[in-house]
Amino acid sequence: MRDSMIHRKLSNAAQRPSPTRQLHGAKAAWCTRMLSISALMLAMASSATWASDVKSQQMTTVNKTDTCYVEGVSDRLNCGFVTVPENPNKPDGKQIQVHYVVLPAVKNANHEEALLAIAGGPGQSAIDNAAGFNAMLSKVHQQRDILLIDQRGTGRSNLLQCDQGAQSALSFDDDNVDSLAEAQKCLAKIDADVSQYGSLNGITDFEAVRQHLGYKKLHVYGISYGTRMAQLYMRLYPEHLATVTLDGIVPMQQSVLEIGASIDRSFELLFKDCQETAACHAQFPELKAEFEQVVASLANAPITENVADPVTGEKTLLTMTRGKFYGSIRMALYQTNVRALVPHAIHQAAKNNFQPLLGLYALTIDNAGMAMGMHASVVCGEDMHRITPAMREQAKNSFMGRTMLEGLEATCSVWKVPAVDTSFSEPISSDIPTLLLSGEIDPATPPSWGELAMEKLTNAKHFVAPYATHGVAYQSCANNLIADLVRSGSVKDLDGECLKKDVRRSFYLNASSVEPLDVTSIKTTTTDDNASTGAKE
């Protein structure tokens, strides 16, 4: 009875509408493996229940604004697209459509400004996450339009995605995927010059949309990979930006392939949090050892058994692999509410009961709405060439790091995207008012990445939320800080004290109960209070 209850909790956490929910099979397993091991994602906590779909018949007006509705947003919105050359160096060549949606300001107080919200990934659709952005930016939305653009290669903007296969991703042995062969099959299905879908062309498209809509200034909010896009906007078109917020920061100096170390760090923080929480430690005193036990067992051979599908509830064959086990837990660490379920799921897996883990795995099946072809175009052109011998050595000692590197090297050998110029990775030098937000227990972009991005920002503050994961503005008072920044146009009076509020979820001790946190028995994950709300002006 208890296992069925935890299964329902995990399955409910995984239920979210998405345009790629039905992706299955060998290609799906390759994409899912790429996602769970390598993708630097938009906060799952923000997007998990808010994906939406714009009615396609209302997105077909060339180069002008029409009206449309987006699921999860009750208001009538403005939508349209601009037509741009796929290759900017061939203006008379193939043309593609870059789609946008505008959520008009409630009070329509400033017609010349909007807030551009940039999705993560690389590969997520901003329009598919319109309801989430609308909720998080509700205070900004009172006075400013919210502009969402599907970056080229995502959503409705010439989506670069692979076709679905026929075999269930649950039964597929993803530890033995031939990444090279599957990447070749995927590329053969894509009708595009994949070398033209990197971040620099994406920023040019964003600027084309701004000009088309007539906004003189943009406030920019970027999350995860979207922070890279925001920084590029700061570099290339600073005169058109009023303020910038970077949430879950990817500094220009950093290759996203260093995420392997960040993932390992987040696992260690989970084990530490459980050990330092009296109730969790009492219930799971050997949590890390149990985790390592499962990993060692799956390293010898996958475990095959019949289980209840976490989405449909129907009996199905499961092949539990190391990749699925690691990926399931990693995805859970993006959401504080799902993170609370992980110790119980690990404990049950150590007892050869993988049903509680399957709800976590369901979070990875649809690739979180990722366009994995576009993801590969970005990473292969902007990050692979930055791999150093030290990174390779570090990856040898990390399953996640090693698998990520091997899979992307195979994919990039097929994608053959030229490397960007070395100047791409130089730190952003700017005096634009900039707010940087990091979560202490972020499984993707740790606070140290935010500090790196601060190197040449002369008008910025960096706040670290001690209890947040990835996407601080969705989990804390940081959404109010963004509204204050947009209203005042200054970081001077921004105060991150409210980020210290303890918003943690109690760990589930079994399938049906949660013990209240005893805050006196828990050490904060940040030992330096100044680091938690550190600011630089």
Side-chain angles (χ1 to χ4, degrees), residues 118-146:
I118 309 178
Q124 284 198 317
S125 158
I127 296 174
D128 282 345
N129 289 282
F133 284 127
N134 184 46
M136 188 271 287
L137 296 166
S138 59
K139 288 191 175 181
V140 177
H141 190 203
Q142 293 295 310
Q143 302 289 338
R144 299 290 191 282
D145 293 350
I146 306 298

Side-chain angles (χ1 to χ4, degrees), residues 183-213:
Q184 290 170 334
K185 293 177 184 177
C186 178
L187 184 61
K189 298 287 186 179
I190 293 176
D191 181 20
D193 177 356
V194 295
S195 69
Q196 299 301 318
Y197 288 79
S199 301
L200 291 171
N201 282 351
I203 284 296
T204 302
D205 297 340
F206 285 7
E207 178 60 9
V209 172
R210 184 201 65 79
Q211 292 179 15
H212 164 65
L213 293 174

Side-chain angles (χ1 to χ4, degrees), residues 248-262:
I249 304 142
V250 184
M252 299 306 299
Q253 307 96 301
Q254 194 89 337
S255 168
V256 298
L257 299 184
E258 295 203 47
I259 195 175
S262 302

